[in-house]
Amino acid sequence: MARFLGSFLLLGVLIFGIWPYYTVFSLDTALGGSDAKAIAPFVDLPAIQEHYKERLGNAVGGFLPSGNSESDRAIGWLADNLSKLGDTALDQTITLDWVRNSLRDANSEAGGSFISGINFAFFESWNQFVIRLGKLGEHPTHVVMTLEGTDWKITDVVR
């Protein structure tokens, strides 16, 4: 009985380990099509937009003045309003077309199809899988896939 349970557990671990690679092969097929909606089942667009907002917010935050003078408060007010406008612009810019084009551009720089452009793909944690398109040190594109429910979805694209 213990041997059966051990074999069953090993089989489960193997299937779990192969699962994101299967998603990568399916994504490669979807990227080959002409319609951006074909990649929609593989993309968590709000998560990608949120990651870009965080990166932009962190980059801008370092330039804001920390004083309490009238001009510092005015600049802070302007930065807050610009970030609201920036969120809207970001939501309009980061679309399924943008994700598809970013992955295709990274593939063309790395060597062709999505799969042929992959230089590294492995688990970062049990629910996060990272793909590197292009060689390390040559401005690769990193694609982060996260397990959401029963599906692996792209939650970040870092170029």
Side-chain angles (χ1 to χ4, degrees), residues 13-109:
V13 169
L14 284 173
I15 289 172
F16 187 80
I18 292 171
W19 189 10
Y21 293 100
Y22 175 75
T23 303
V24 169
F25 282 107
S26 301
L27 178 61
D28 183 52
T29 303
L31 281 169
S34 61
D35 187 18
K37 292 182 182 181
I39 68 166
F42 305 102
V43 176
D44 182 353
L45 198 55
I48 294 172
Q49 292 168 339
E50 189 60 36
H51 283 111
Y52 268 85
K53 286 177 190 174
E54 287 174 17
R55 280 196 287 279
L56 287 173
N58 291 340
V60 171
F63 295 108
L64 295 178
S66 58
N68 199 19
S69 70
E70 187 67 32
S71 65
D72 289 346
R73 286 193 307 251
I75 290 173
W77 178 82
L78 284 171
D80 287 342
N81 286 312
L82 284 175
S83 72
K84 290 175 188 172
L85 290 173
D87 288 351
T88 303
L90 191 71
D91 291 344
Q92 291 175 357
T93 303
I94 308 251
T95 62
L96 279 176
D97 281 324
W98 179 88
V99 173
R100 186 187 71 179
N101 292 337
S102 293
L103 295 177
R104 283 183 170 179
D105 290 347
N107 292 339
S108 65
E109 292 170 8

Side-chain angles (χ1 to χ4, degrees), residues 100-134:
R100 186 187 71 179
N101 292 337
S102 293
L103 295 177
R104 283 183 170 179
D105 290 347
N107 292 339
S108 65
E109 292 170 8
S113 72
F114 185 70
I115 290 178
S116 67
I118 295 175
N119 189 275
F120 173 84
F122 202 70
F123 288 89
E124 188 172 78
S125 66
W126 71 272
N127 67 341
Q128 202 163 50
F129 191 79
V130 176
I131 301 166
R132 183 177 65 225
L133 300 167

Side-chain angles (χ1 to χ4, degrees), residues 2-19:
R3 185 176 217 173
F4 173 74
L5 288 175
S7 297
F8 188 70
L9 181 63
L10 179 63
L11 180 64
V13 169
L14 284 173
I15 289 172
F16 187 80
I18 292 171
W19 189 10

